[in-house]
Amino acid sequence: MDFQNNTGPETASEEEIFVPSDDVREHLVVVGNGMAGCRAIEELLARDAGRYRVTIFGAEPYVNYNRIMLSPVLAGEKSFDDIIINSREWYSENNIELIAGDPVTGIDRTAKTVTSQSGRTVGYDKLLIATGSDPFIIPVPGKDLPGVISFRDMKDVDTMLEAANGGGSAVVIGGGLLGLEAAHGLTLRGMKVTVIHLMDTLMERQLDEAAGWLLKTALEGRGQTILTGANTAEIYGDGKVEGVRLKDGSEIPASLVVMAVGIRPSTALAREAGLDVNRGIKVDDHMVTSDPDVLAVGECVEHDGNVYGLVAPLWDMCRSLADGLTDQHTGYKGSVTSTKLKVAGLDVFSAGDFSGGEGCEDIVLRDASRGVYKRVVVKDDKVIGAVLYGDTADGGWYFDLLKRGEDVGEIRDLLIFGQAFASGGGALDPKAAVAALSDDAEICGCNGVSKGQVVACIEAGNCSLDAVRGSCKASASCGSCTGLVENLLAVVLGDDVQSGPKTMCKCTSFGHDDVRREIVAQNMRSIPEVMQKLHWSTPDGCSSCRPALNYYLLCALPGEYQDDQQSRFVNERMHANIQKDGTYSVVPRMWGGLTNPRELRAIADVVEKYDAPMVKVTGGQRLDIFGIKKEDLPAVWADLNAAGMVSGHAYGKSLRTVKTCVGSEWCRFGTQDSTGLGVKTERMTWGSWMPHKFKIAVSGCPRNCAEATIKDFGVVCVDSGYELHVGGNGGIHVRATDLLCKVSTEQEALDYCAAFTQLYREEARYLERTAPWIERVGVEYVKQRIVEDDAGREALRARFLYSQSFSQDDPWAERAAGANAELHQHLDPIAIAAE
Amino acid sequence: MTDWIDIGTLADIPQRGARTVRIAGEKEIAVFRTGDDKVFALVNECPHKKGPLSQGIVHGHSVACPLHNWNIALKTGEAQGADEGCTPTIAVKEEGGRILIARPTEMKAAA
């Protein structure tokens, strides 16, 4: 989904959320509508929802969004709507007044009021400052030129997207996480990007030299220019930015310069209000500032001499803050931080102190061909730091050892090989591994959820993955911790886990619906991309997931997706049905079951010419020619094509046949032209790929000779029009159709057929026929989408016909013309020298 | 001593796919190329019901038989998971960009 094509981010400025002013509760005013401010309120609501009346001021004109997900928005992997944390409904449901797009400009601690830019003055009983950080702008000449921006908020992303539209070159100053993500996004958006980094190593605060070098090499491999040890002298340009000049005199032309050299606590407001401010606003263990009625939380604070720029400490602070506001006194004790990142799709992890020094021992593992580097720093038999590149699966375990100060003397020899090895010398049961984690071990980094919280959430009655995702948000964002959450479900509930949607196959922790949703949401365009982004556990999937992914991509991107032959079952790859002896059978299409002498002759000729041992009329009223050898298939198709016949797709997860009776033209009972409608239906639907095989029938009267009531889509003609039936199946579990509705014209029957087919194509799971699909979602749901929603039906129909404009090519014709000839030929052996 | 037979280049086999080779008097051989460009050769028969393994979906270093979806390890020819059975393997090597397979009878003699 392209952000720019959206209707626009959800803003809250036009329509402020109103809270009655006769509310007599203590008034808590929050300055800052970002991740810390809102999280603090969420924690507070979870403890005592009725205690405070809450007003939140936000400088940006939006609801609360996940700032760390701005990079995926820039990269085009997510839209703004995807990164909203709390929608407008959240504010109104919790009676929170949101004043967005109106920054607070002053605090009067004597009067206990805040004043905003627009002149609004609001009184408070308690004030919470959550102003976060400001991007640091290096004071070089030209820093104020148009086209020089930071990477901090939605406005910056908009500016970058606009610049990227024009193509050209960009310079990113700063090779830390933020800079590299900006560079990655701009590269994906088509700009030529140079990263200028002052230090010799990228991300030197998180990575050591070796890992930084691997990262640099990988990024250069993706087309970026990375200049390390490069010092910016000046940004030049006449009226707008034209480039960057380095201290060594070299110049890099650019139409956009992104300054991403760091952030510093936003303390101006607190400083002017006379609060104690050092590097950040000074707070105690309950996040209270030097004024007992003013609290502060997040990146703007300094606690015990520390300032944090990561989300994990922020979650810890918000918990302590909410405890304090509700008279519980746990207190914040500071955070040990770890960083698990995906920089431009590359896995990076670091935690603790890895700078080395006296008494520190380094344990290092390098596997250049896999692109893996691991370094664990041990001091006095305790892990004090770790850097992982390329394979970060054990990051959580090292971090847990580090935080607990565990004695690792006994497992030191195996430590570097990870938890599975060190805990038992072999593959460790993943459930035992997760059971062994401490309660405060982080499970979900995106949402700051610990093992203890997930367990509590499960024990509170959330017995499925979806329920956990909905309740405590663990695994609800990037999904990389889904396996951990599932293992926790298994550990806590034993056999009582409600198997939500099953995973697609053993290669992934995602179910079919999740995968389909993510393909669309993240605009994924190829099977390897899906496997990469959704953390597939196998190098190239298996025979279950590959055909499914191929179909999902094909369905999501009609006309754009490049079909992957090697992910298709042999029948679809060979456009014929494989039989038990390895030969194939061939079914030419006979529209609506009609044929003529020319077609029959061509079929008879093929049977003789290629020695086909059998011809059979199929259940779908077509002729099936058996016993064709793989190498003869192209010639068979050429002969059938010559007589005007195309592939019947009898082999595919696709529309197969439209079965008909003779209808009003011949039958004394027939009420409508069922044969004619059958032909029209088949002309409209042939060639379409489906989640499973798909059959249609049209019967001319309720005697139903075409057996329309056991088809995926069936039409029964009656005097007054057409009864439309769906979800029938003559397979292992025979199922009669449900009546969808009745329509009065042929055109309507065709339109409903197209819309129903597309709904099935877009929403059923691969290898799920219409019958189990309808039983799963309910026929009422299908009626709602097809019958009751006129605009929705029309949109589905239009999408189906659009997709059909790319798929109605005869696959036999191109093979007969010589395409993929090697699929039908043997390799030619040449005997050569013996040893 | 092994008789090596030149059957072509890596590019002759589709990635994650297979081609077949026929040598007079021998069972058809399937030569596989995996996603990481390793080459394996097996008799083109599933140990289950002789399905043509060359037509299966190649994933990792395994192939799924197109008839009943047994998974066969390309390196050993052994059926994976709960299934039991083994397809004979044929030695393969790459030399000067060409792919060479051992003449199956030679392998039998050597074994």
Side-chain angles (χ1 to χ4, degrees):
Chain A
M1 245 181 290
D2 191 339
F3 170 73
Q4 289 163 303
N5 290 340
N6 276 359
T7 48
E10 183 177 9
T11 66
S13 54
E14 308 108 48
E15 188 194 325
E16 276 156 17
I17 291 147
F18 177 76
V19 175
S21 59
D22 55 1
D23 195 330
V24 294
R25 294 174 295 170
E26 271 191 279
H27 191 194
L28 173 63
V29 172
V30 184
V31 182
N33 186 37
M35 299 181 69
C38 285
R39 180 60 169 240
I41 298 305
E42 284 184 35
E43 291 283 348
L44 178 62
L45 292 171
R47 283 162 181 73
D48 187 351
R51 173 81 172 257
Y52 292 91
R53 169 186 156 209
V54 178
T55 300
I56 302 179
F57 279 89
E60 291 183 77
Y62 307 118
V63 293
N64 174 29
Y65 66 85
N66 190 339
R67 198 177 299 281
I68 52 181
M69 299 298 252
L70 283 176
S71 305
V73 174
L74 174 63
E77 292 159 2
K78 288 195 187 294
S79 72
F80 180 79
D81 285 347
D82 296 330
I83 68 167
I84 288 173
I85 300 176
N86 290 305
S87 67
R88 239 186 266 190
E89 286 71 37
W90 177 80
Y91 293 91
S92 56
E93 278 164 15
N94 291 293
N95 285 323
I96 297 165
E97 185 170 9
L98 171 66
I99 301 166
D102 190 12
V104 168
T105 50
I107 299 169
D108 182 339
R109 290 198 291 126
T110 319
K112 292 181 85 168
T113 58
V114 297
T115 304
S116 72
Q117 196 169 56
S118 70
R120 185 183 330 230
T121 298
V122 173
Y124 65 81
D125 296 304
K126 294 273 182 200
L127 180 68
L128 172 60
I129 301 176
T131 43
S133 301
D134 296 321
F136 184 67
I137 300 293
I138 46 172
V140 289
K143 69 180 169 53
D144 297 320
L145 282 171
V148 180
I149 59 164
S150 57
F151 182 22
R152 184 66 190 161
D153 59 27
M154 209 41 226
K155 193 169 88 267
D156 296 327
V157 173
D158 283 338
T159 309
M160 285 193 247
L161 291 177
E162 202 176 306
N165 266 346
S169 303
V171 167
V172 174
I173 304 178
L177 172 64
L178 212 55
L180 296 183
E181 296 209 322
H184 178 55
L186 291 170
T187 306
L188 287 183
R189 294 281 181 178
M191 293 192 91
K192 187 177 173 317
V193 178
T194 304
V195 177
I196 297 174
H197 193 52
L198 184 60
M199 312 301 284
D200 290 327
T201 307
L202 291 179
M203 290 180 66
E204 75 284 351
R205 288 173 60 188
Q206 289 87 14
L207 299 180
D208 64 6
E209 203 177 321
W213 181 82
L214 283 169
L215 182 62
K216 177 170 184 268
T217 312
L219 293 173
E220 284 168 341
R222 288 166 192 209
Q224 293 175 17
T225 306
I226 312 276
L227 303 176
T228 50
N231 204 342
T232 306
E234 182 192 2
I235 300 170
Y236 62 87
D238 187 8
K240 63 174 174 51
V241 67
E242 286 167 18
V244 174
R245 187 172 296 115
L246 300 181
K247 289 247 164 88
D248 67 8
S250 56
E251 287 182 2
I252 307 148
S255 56
L256 176 75
V257 172
V258 180
M259 192 94 73
V261 290
I263 52 174
R264 57 179 169 196
S266 173
T267 56
L269 197 61
R271 205 181 287 271
E272 279 163 27
L275 296 168
D276 277 1
V277 175
N278 191 26
R279 275 199 298 154
I281 305 166
K282 290 175 86 167
V283 293
D284 68 9
D285 291 353
H286 296 97
M287 317 315 292
V288 179
T289 67
S290 54
D291 177 336
D293 289 324
V294 181
L295 302 101
V297 72
E299 290 180 343
C300 62
V301 309
E302 177 179 321
H303 174 266
D304 202 14
N306 293 310
V307 171
Y308 298 95
L310 292 165
V311 289
L314 187 155
W315 309 140
D316 295 339
M317 289 180 201
C318 286
R319 281 191 280 271
S320 304
L321 172 100
D323 282 345
L325 280 176
T326 53
D327 309 319
Q328 304 165 46
H329 297 286
T330 50
Y332 177 63
K333 299 284 176 255
S335 301
V336 187
T337 55
S338 71
T339 322
K340 185 171 181 178
L341 308 164
K342 244 187 159 43
V343 185
L346 304 162
D347 285 315
V348 169
F349 173 90
S350 75
D353 178 8
F354 47 86
S355 54
E358 203 166 323
C360 294
E361 302 164 77
D362 281 335
I363 310 174
V364 176
L365 179 141
R366 286 174 202 272
D367 185 343
S369 65
R370 273 206 306 149
V372 169
Y373 168 81
K374 301 182 180 185
R375 174 163 162 238
V376 177
V377 186
V378 175
K379 188 176 186 181
D380 301 330
D381 280 340
K382 287 178 181 149
V383 174
I384 62 159
V387 180
L388 309 177
Y389 179 92
D391 174 2
T392 56
D394 282 308
W397 181 61
Y398 291 125
F399 188 47
D400 198 38
L401 291 175
L402 186 156
K403 277 199 298 185
R404 286 190 289 150
E406 187 115 325
D407 190 314
V408 294
E410 284 192 8
I411 55 169
R412 191 185 183 286
D413 292 351
L414 298 170
L415 193 61
I416 198 71
F417 300 111
Q419 183 178 18
F421 249 80
S423 308
L428 180 71
D429 174 5
K431 283 186 212 159
V434 74
L437 288 174
S438 66
D439 267 358
D440 60 354
E442 185 178 84
I443 298 291
C444 173
C446 298
N447 296 297
V449 190
S450 68
K451 177 187 161 189
Q453 289 171 294
V454 177
V455 169
C457 169
I458 297 167
E459 285 172 345
N462 298 291
C463 300
S464 69
L465 180 63
D466 271 359
V468 171
R469 283 179 175 167
S471 174
C472 70
K473 295 188 178 173
S475 133
S477 293
C478 87
S480 62
C481 62
T482 302
L484 288 174
V485 174
E486 284 177 332
N487 286 330
L488 274 174
L489 278 161
V491 167
V492 176
L493 299 173
D495 294 333
D496 297 335
V497 186
Q498 288 166 13
S499 49
K502 282 204 308 213
T503 61
M504 272 180 82
C505 63
K506 60 174 172 43
C507 307
T508 175
S509 59
F510 284 87
H512 283 267
D513 299 344
D514 293 329
V515 172
R516 290 203 89 161
R517 190 187 61 239
E518 290 303 319
I519 285 174
V520 175
Q522 300 192 36
N523 193 21
M524 297 188 226
R525 312 187 85 78
S526 70
I527 292 177
E529 187 183 0
V530 176
M531 292 181 173
Q532 181 66 27
K533 288 191 172 158
L534 298 184
H535 308 275
W536 239 246
S537 63
T538 46
D540 45 17
C542 69
S543 56
S544 297
C545 57
R546 288 232 312 269
L549 294 181
N550 192 50
Y551 169 72
Y552 292 154
L553 287 159
L554 195 73
C555 181
L557 300 163
E560 284 180 54
Y561 173 65
Q562 193 71 39
D563 191 65
D564 179 24
Q565 284 284 308
Q566 302 307 345
S567 294
R568 284 191 177 272
F569 185 64
V570 57
N571 284 358
E572 292 180 351
R573 207 177 329 122
M574 301 305 286
H575 302 296
N577 272 2
I578 195 165
Q579 300 297 345
K580 61 184 280 186
D581 63 352
T583 65
Y584 293 82
S585 75
V586 166
V587 182
R589 194 166 284 288
M590 289 178 178
W591 306 96
L594 297 173
T595 185
N596 57 40
R598 194 169 53 122
E599 289 181 354
L600 290 171
R601 267 190 213 103
I603 290 172
D605 287 345
V606 161
V607 172
E608 279 186 352
K609 187 167 164 189
Y610 300 97
D611 269 337
M614 186 167 89
V615 187
K616 166 150 193 344
V617 179
T618 70
Q621 303 176 333
R622 307 294 184 266
L623 287 170
D624 197 350
I625 309 161
F626 282 86
I628 304 292
K629 295 185 202 66
K630 184 178 71 172
E631 50 268 40
D632 288 340
L633 284 170
V636 167
W637 297 332
D639 287 359
L640 294 169
N641 275 168
M645 303 176 87
V646 299
S647 170
H649 289 84
Y651 45 80
K653 308 300 175 211
S654 59
L655 182 276
R656 296 209 170 168
T657 57
V658 179
K659 195 174 178 181
T660 58
C661 66
V662 293
S664 57
E665 202 182 350
W666 296 91
C667 175
R668 61 205 163 99
F669 301 109
T671 63
Q672 311 277 359
D673 177 15
S674 55
T675 325
L677 178 55
V679 173
K680 282 179 197 156
T681 310
E682 189 160 351
R683 292 271 179 205
M684 176 181 77
T685 53
W686 79 282
S688 56
W689 297 110
M690 305 272 190
H692 207 304
K693 61 184 172 186
F694 192 95
K695 297 176 178 181
I696 298 178
V698 185
S699 281
C701 79
R703 284 167 190 76
N704 195 11
C705 295
E707 296 163 334
T709 51
I710 51 162
K711 294 291 180 280
D712 296 283
F713 187 86
V715 181
V716 176
C717 304
V718 291
D719 278 332
S720 56
Y722 305 82
E723 284 177 359
L724 306 183
H725 294 259
V726 295
N729 186 352
I732 298 171
H733 302 290
V734 181
R735 183 182 194 272
T737 46
D738 292 304
L739 179 65
L740 181 68
C741 63
K742 213 179 121 183
V743 295
S744 50
T745 65
E746 262 198 354
Q747 189 56 50
E748 282 173 298
L750 287 166
D751 291 350
Y752 280 65
C753 174
F756 173 78
T757 306
Q758 186 65 8
L759 185 67
Y760 169 64
R761 295 183 76 229
E762 289 179 2
E763 299 193 355
R765 297 167 190 160
Y766 193 68
L767 296 189
E768 184 176 45
R769 285 201 66 180
T770 57
W773 170 60
I774 285 181
E775 287 186 354
R776 178 163 67 80
V777 302
V779 69
E780 287 311 315
Y781 169 76
V782 177
K783 283 183 183 169
Q784 199 187 318
R785 296 288 303 272
I786 306 295
V787 185
E788 291 157 29
D789 179 359
D790 291 339
R793 177 181 65 247
E794 180 49 35
L796 282 165
R797 185 188 78 99
R799 286 206 292 281
F800 179 70
L801 295 183
Y802 177 71
S803 168
Q804 285 296 82
S805 69
F806 303 102
S807 64
Q808 290 194 319
D809 290 319
D810 176 34
W812 286 357
E814 47 183 54
R815 288 289 174 86
N820 301 105
E822 72 285 353
L823 289 181
H824 305 276
Q825 295 161 353
H826 301 282
L827 284 166
D828 202 11
I830 314 165
I832 55 159
E835 269 174 6
Chain B
M1 186 177 107
T2 305
D3 256 349
W4 291 97
I5 301 169
D6 183 327
I7 54 161
T9 68
L10 191 66
D12 292 330
I13 309 169
Q15 207 174 31
R16 296 183 191 84
R19 297 285 305 276
T20 46
V21 182
R22 283 180 171 174
I23 296 167
E26 301 295 339
K27 285 187 169 169
E28 191 167 275
I29 295 166
V31 186
F32 295 89
R33 175 180 171 190
T34 60
D36 56 359
D37 284 343
K38 299 271 190 305
V39 178
F40 299 93
L42 300 176
V43 168
N44 191 23
E45 281 181 1
C46 181
H48 176 217
K49 296 205 167 174
K50 300 194 174 181
L53 295 175
S54 57
Q55 303 303 300
I57 290 178
V58 176
H59 52 98
H61 286 184
S62 303
V63 61
C65 175
L67 291 194
H68 304 99
N69 210 29
W70 278 35
N71 268 306
I72 308 299
L74 293 174
K75 192 170 178 201
T76 62
E78 278 173 30
Q80 306 290 289
D83 299 321
E84 280 182 26
C86 189
T87 293
T89 59
I90 290 109
V92 192
K93 63 177 183 181
E94 278 189 76
E95 216 171 71
R98 308 290 300 182
I99 293 170
L100 311 177
I101 59 169
R103 185 181 286 281
T105 42
E106 294 290 332
M107 289 308 290
K108 271 183 227 149

